[in-house]
Amino acid sequence: GWRPALTAGDWRALVGENARIVLEIGAHDGSDTLMLREAFPAALVYCWEPESRAYKRWFERPALRNDRKIIFAPQAVADFDGTAPWYGSHGDLRGKSNQEKDFPPAMQQDWDASGSIQKPTGHEGFPQWCHFAEEGRVEVRRLDTWFYCHPEVNRIDLLWIDAQGAEARIINGAQKALCLTRYVYLEVYDLRLMPEARLCPVTLYEDQPSLDD
């Protein structure tokens, strides 16, 4: 599905009410950031999101923009420090998807939730209304680089990864940080999870890891 099954209360029960450091890689427009803040009101929440259309909407939410315990970086996270090509997603899904109403009007008219630093080798035209354009470069940081810059962090309670095919690269660039991480949540694309696998591409993005990987 498009949304995680766990509610804010579920996350709080799992990770604990005393969570202090939460990292959200792929914050998009802040919908999940709001949920994480509800789940962990005492935590510092660090967010990364390189898609400018999405993070503009993130900053339009006063509850996020004015919260001093939420720190935002307009960057991608991977296994190196530098810049990378950004493949932005587009598409008008109005009248073309039964999940249309699950998304705000801006996303219905111009789909911005599938952009990635990974080339969308299988995602172009899947679904038919979705397409991509290479749109310049974005800043990229390793999570371990962030970790070394924050020596006060001695535990990461939750690492949330929604990175459109870059999951393995994030993990590879976070070997030190992961040693102190209690929970990791990430999305996985795998044909065994797809209800109509024969109609789906093997991978959506170049070098996208499978569930087994």
Side-chain angles (χ1 to χ4, degrees), residues 50 80 82-86 117 134-140:
F80 69 100
T83 66
W86 179 252
I117 60 173
E134 186 173 342
E135 300 171 339
R137 302 183 71 83
V138 295
E139 286 191 35
V140 180

Side-chain angles (χ1 to χ4, degrees), residues 18-35:
N18 295 324
R20 290 295 179 265
I21 301 292
V22 173
L23 311 184
E24 183 187 14
I25 298 176
H28 196 244
D29 65 2
S31 299
D32 291 322
T33 315
L34 288 171
M35 186 276 293

Side-chain angles (χ1 to χ4, degrees), residues 98-118:
N98 57 14
Q99 295 176 311
E100 171 187 343
K101 299 302 181 183
D102 292 342
F103 306 104
M107 288 179 65
Q108 294 177 27
Q109 298 172 34
D110 185 18
W111 181 256
D112 60 14
S114 298
S116 180
I117 60 173
Q118 301 297 106

Side-chain angles (χ1 to χ4, degrees), residues 45-158:
V45 181
Y46 292 86
C47 302
W48 289 264
E49 175 55 56
E51 171 54 71
S52 60
R53 290 168 293 165
Y55 70 63
K56 285 178 182 177
R57 298 201 304 279
W58 193 101
F59 279 100
E60 288 171 358
R61 300 178 187 265
L64 300 179
R65 184 179 66 244
N66 299 327
D67 190 332
R68 294 188 177 183
K69 285 192 170 185
I70 301 178
I71 301 94
F72 182 93
Q75 300 170 337
V77 179
D79 52 359
F80 69 100
D81 299 319
T83 66
W86 179 252
Y87 300 94
S89 65
H90 298 271
D92 187 338
L93 64 125
R94 292 173 295 180
K96 302 168 187 173
S97 171
N98 57 14
Q99 295 176 311
E100 171 187 343
K101 299 302 181 183
D102 292 342
F103 306 104
M107 288 179 65
Q108 294 177 27
Q109 298 172 34
D110 185 18
W111 181 256
D112 60 14
S114 298
S116 180
I117 60 173
Q118 301 297 106
K119 191 173 183 179
T121 50
H123 208 330
E124 180 69 43
F126 178 78
Q128 290 185 344
W129 48 263
C130 186
H131 61 92
F132 291 80
E134 186 173 342
E135 300 171 339
R137 302 183 71 83
V138 295
E139 286 191 35
V140 180
R141 291 293 181 269
R142 296 182 308 138
L143 194 57
D144 277 346
T145 300
W146 170 87
F147 182 67
Y148 290 136
C149 293
H150 291 80
E152 75 282 3
V153 174
N154 55 25
R155 186 180 77 180
I156 297 168
D157 293 291
L158 174 62

